[in-house]
Structure formats: structure tokens, C-alpha cells
Amino acid sequence: MDATQQVLAAADALIAAFAANDVDAYFGAFAPEASFIFHATPVRLMSRDAYRAEWDGWVADSDLRVLDCVSSNRAVQFVDGIALFMHDVNTTISTRDGEATLAERETIVFRQDESGRWLAWHEHLSPRAA
């Protein structure tokens, strides 16, 4: 499997864990020092633990649950051993307020750890233009 296929497989595993609400597998796809920028979150989250705490708050405050997540318009670029995975993502969520589908654009930066596994190191999510 070439590097592009490896990155796509890592992205697919991350997305599948997210869609299945497999929180341990989802957060396990990120390096501990990963950082996160989400358009609906007022601060940068500077570690996997900070994002996990934010996630746990969303679940506690609104009963957040992911119902589906579909990735499309995918691309991978490499720069000095870092992989940039870009895609459009439609996520259907459920909260106490009901269901909603979010149309967003996302970039996930992957890098290989010592074992050769591609881990997400940075995630940036923004609303997708209509």
C-alpha cells in the first residue's frame, strides 16, 4: 500500500469511528499533542485531551450523538513527510434539540509515528459555502 492509500485508510478509520460514536477509537486516531480548530468552538483546543474534554461537555450538555458522517471530494497532499487530507464532510447529529446535518469542509494533518502508523496531528473544520 502506498503512502496515499495509507493516509486514506487512516482517514477512513477515523471517520468510521466518528460515525459510529466509537469515542475511544476516534480519539485514538489522534496524536496526544494534536490541535483542533472548530468554527463552532471559541478557542483552539491544543491537545487531544482538551478536545476530549470539550466533546464530553457537548455530550453532557446536549446529548450530542453522531448519527452519520459522509466524506466526499477527498484529496491528499504531502509536504516533508506530513500528509494533508482534505475533504467535504456531511455529518448528521442528534441533540436534545433534534437532528441536524452539518455541511463542512475539513483538513486533517497526518504524520507517521515511530511504528509507521499515520495519526491525525491537526484538524481544522469550517462551514462549507453553499
Side-chain angles (χ1 to χ4, degrees):
M1 186 181 314
D2 72 11
T4 298
Q5 292 170 320
Q6 291 173 7
V7 170
L8 289 171
D12 286 341
L14 185 154
I15 293 163
F18 179 73
N21 281 287
D22 185 343
V23 177
D24 290 333
Y26 174 61
F27 283 98
F30 292 98
E33 67 277 10
S35 58
F36 306 85
I37 298 175
F38 302 132
H39 61 93
T41 303
V43 298
R44 282 178 285 198
L45 304 170
M46 296 305 294
S47 70
R48 180 179 65 195
D49 288 345
Y51 177 24
R52 180 69 186 258
E54 188 77 13
W55 179 277
D56 290 345
W58 296 335
V59 171
D61 294 344
S62 67
D63 280 338
L64 173 69
R65 181 160 176 75
V66 178
L67 303 177
D68 193 26
C69 184
V70 177
S71 171
S72 63
N73 195 25
R74 299 150 58 100
V76 177
Q77 289 181 304
F78 291 91
V79 179
D80 296 330
I82 301 294
L84 304 172
F85 170 74
M86 298 155 281
H87 67 145
D88 294 338
V89 61
N90 288 337
T91 304
T92 303
I93 61 169
S94 172
T95 66
R96 286 188 191 110
D97 295 330
E99 290 184 16
T101 298
L102 310 171
E104 296 164 312
R105 185 170 287 147
E106 181 174 51
T107 301
I108 303 173
V109 178
F110 286 91
R111 69 175 184 187
Q112 285 184 298
D113 68 7
E114 309 79 38
S115 72
R117 179 179 176 217
W118 288 94
L119 289 175
W121 182 55
H122 176 76
E123 181 179 6
H124 187 157
L125 190 65
S126 59
R128 193 165 66 234

